[in-house]
Amino acid sequence: FDYGPLIKQHGELPADGGFAGFRLHAPLNNPNFFDELVVFQGASYWRALGKGQRYGISARGIAVDTGAEGVAEEFPAFREFWLKKPQEGDDHAVIMALLDGPSYSGAYEFSVKPGDETVMGVKAVLFPRKEVKRLGIAPMSSMFWFGENSRRRFDDFRPEVHDSDGLAIRMGSGERIWRPISNDTGNLGFSFFKMAKCEGFGLLQRDRRFSAYEDGEAAYDLRPSLWIEPTSDWGPGSVMLMEIPTANELADNSVAMWLPEKSAKPGDRLEFNYRQHWTTDEDPSHAGGHVVATRTGTHEWQPEQRTMIVEFEGENLVGKDGKMPEAVVEAGGESAEKVRIQGVVVQAMDGGRIRLGFQLLPAKDGGKLSEIGLIELRAALKREGDFLTETWVYQINP
């Protein structure tokens, strides 16, 4: 570790001490105190904070073969960092890093601007050493144990425990997606959202009420969302969500990343630029009408009928004449024909929320919900053909 000429008197790191990373401090919450702002530690991982936030979700340089079948995941590391000395009046810090791994090397530049939401500009130039099965750009990992949508219940005093409760996507086509995270199946799960152009994606913590978590120590209501905004042409590809089953809150088990459609080969030069927003904004995707809660359950006296509840917030969801918006609800996937949807209701709730409710039943009379299999539900609100909300997308085995 080279201090350079900036620090005249300093101790020396022990020869066998190693070097895990570094952290930057800034007057984030108080002009007279330098709080932790960002920490780079371990492989190519980093975390950042905005004003009043607590550490939660993590980002990393790239993801190599994450969840890919038949191969082991690689964890390339930032081998070297350079910190640019700020000039008087600068409102941001500049960091450069060298990425090195078995299959990829690369050079990174980070511009870190602290604030109510801390914004990090990322420029990444990558060089493949060999072709891989899956390259993940702007990857992030978070924790989801259980939430208001969970069917698996744990012996815990808190109503919900998670760093993020859903994946938000803004497609170039104009469609906005909200995919709540789940930890119900006990199996490793994948969801892929293909698009010609990505305008943004991220794992968000939308529920900002302390009462949702009742945890003054972990402070899940203060943990940031991470929203990715591409600032260069990424081309076509997919956003991938990987959900890893967990029985506690100790490990990150929710992963999201961008998968380029084109597979890179040795000798190629790849460049991906993007902006990270470490934010507590409920709707950094600017969906307007957005999902704020997902709930589900069955009654003992109706075991073959599952109720689904989706709650939306946003301006102008209710018409000037007080008329409720129209609901669009669809089932997809291989088992879609085995289920039918009935009892669709849209109603206004206290606090300005709009609730969409419906029931799932077996398509065949006398059928069993347990025999349907995995389905993907999609729902949104619209008026006179125009969509007022993002599209709620949910995988469930009824």
Side-chain angles (χ1 to χ4, degrees):
F1 183 78
D2 183 3
Y3 290 93
L6 296 178
I7 302 176
K8 303 300 182 184
Q9 296 180 352
H10 55 78
E12 295 296 335
L13 292 175
D16 61 349
F19 181 60
F22 70 94
R23 59 189 179 184
L24 292 183
H25 292 243
L28 186 61
N29 300 297
N30 186 317
N32 301 315
F33 185 82
F34 279 63
D35 299 289
E36 267 192 53
L37 172 66
V38 59
V39 58
F40 287 82
Q41 185 175 18
S44 66
Y45 283 85
W46 71 90
R47 298 192 292 177
L49 294 169
K51 186 176 181 179
Q53 299 174 11
R54 300 283 188 88
Y55 278 135
I57 191 169
S58 297
R60 55 174 159 160
I62 57 172
V64 179
D65 286 335
T66 302
E69 190 172 354
V71 293
E73 182 175 4
E74 293 180 13
F75 293 89
F78 288 137
R79 299 296 189 195
E80 295 185 56
F81 288 98
W82 295 266
L83 281 67
K84 183 178 179 181
K85 183 178 180 180
Q87 302 300 309
E88 187 173 355
D90 283 354
D91 61 358
H92 64 281
V94 176
I95 303 160
M96 286 160 281
L98 177 65
L99 182 84
D100 186 25
S103 299
Y104 269 85
S105 64
Y108 283 70
E109 180 183 278
F110 303 93
S111 174
V112 188
K113 184 178 181 181
D116 290 340
E117 69 167 25
T118 287
V119 179
M120 293 182 63
V122 182
K123 296 181 179 179
V125 178
L126 303 171
F127 301 94
R129 292 189 167 112
K130 62 182 181 181
E131 196 167 359
V132 300
K133 283 192 172 183
R134 180 174 291 159
L135 172 65
I137 302 299
M140 62 189 74
S141 54
S142 191
M143 182 275 294
F144 182 92
W145 187 15
F146 59 92
E148 83 268 339
N149 61 314
S150 295
R151 294 158 61 186
R152 294 176 68 196
R153 296 298 175 182
F154 300 91
D155 189 6
D156 196 283
F157 72 93
R158 296 162 295 183
E160 303 178 41
V161 177
H162 49 74
D163 286 340
S164 306
D165 53 7
L167 169 69
I169 304 172
R170 189 170 73 220
M171 297 184 179
S173 64
E175 186 176 13
R176 274 64 165 158
I177 299 288
W178 175 251
R179 166 63 157 79
I181 301 173
S182 177
N183 182 34
D184 285 336
T185 66
N187 300 315
L188 180 65
F190 294 89
S191 296
F192 298 90
F193 301 87
K194 188 176 182 180
M195 63 201 79
K197 181 182 179 182
C198 178
E199 291 190 358
F201 75 96
L203 293 176
L204 309 187
Q205 183 78 311
R206 275 196 169 160
D207 201 333
R208 292 293 167 187
R209 302 168 300 148
F210 173 80
S211 60
Y213 310 98
E214 295 291 348
D215 193 330
E217 181 182 5
Y220 290 113
D221 54 310
L222 302 179
R223 305 211 173 188
S225 300
L226 178 52
W227 176 251
I228 303 295
E229 178 188 359
T231 54
S232 65
D233 184 4
W234 287 12
S238 303
V239 173
M240 183 188 92
L241 173 67
M242 181 171 74
E243 295 167 297
I244 306 168
T246 186
N248 57 54
E249 62 194 291
L250 303 180
D252 285 352
N253 65 316
S254 305
V255 180
M257 63 188 70
W258 172 256
L259 307 180
E261 184 176 271
K262 183 180 178 182
S263 178
K265 294 178 171 52
D268 290 347
R269 180 188 185 276
L270 311 177
E271 183 170 344
F272 293 91
N273 301 334
Y274 55 95
R275 193 175 292 123
Q276 292 184 329
H277 299 263
W278 301 80
T279 179
T280 55
D281 186 350
E282 282 189 4
D283 186 28
S285 65
H286 303 295
H290 56 278
V291 179
V292 292
T294 301
R295 310 178 194 279
T296 182
T298 60
H299 293 301
E300 186 177 324
W301 61 90
Q302 292 175 315
E304 306 308 329
Q305 177 175 303
R306 174 164 294 280
T307 297
M308 302 296 304
I309 299 293
V310 186
E311 294 178 2
F312 297 86
E313 275 186 359
E315 297 181 358
N316 304 319
L317 296 184
V318 180
K320 293 181 180 179
D321 56 0
K323 188 176 180 180
M324 288 292 103
E326 176 189 352
V328 178
V329 184
E330 300 173 345
E334 295 181 0
S335 300
E337 61 186 28
K338 299 179 182 178
V339 69
R340 75 176 190 268
I341 296 168
Q342 71 175 30
V344 178
V345 176
V346 179
Q347 58 186 157
M349 307 293 292
D350 290 341
R353 293 187 174 190
I354 300 295
R355 173 173 285 189
L356 163 63
F358 58 93
Q359 283 78 44
L360 299 177
L361 294 87
K364 292 196 314 182
D365 291 339
K368 302 288 185 181
L369 284 176
S370 59
E371 298 172 351
I372 290 174
L374 189 68
I375 59 173
E376 182 173 280
L377 299 170
R378 299 174 70 91
L381 301 180
K382 69 177 184 178
R383 180 182 295 113
E384 297 178 356
D386 294 328
F387 283 89
L388 305 176
T389 67
E390 63 191 357
T391 303
W392 171 83
V393 178
Y394 199 64
Q395 285 188 350
I396 189 169
N397 192 330

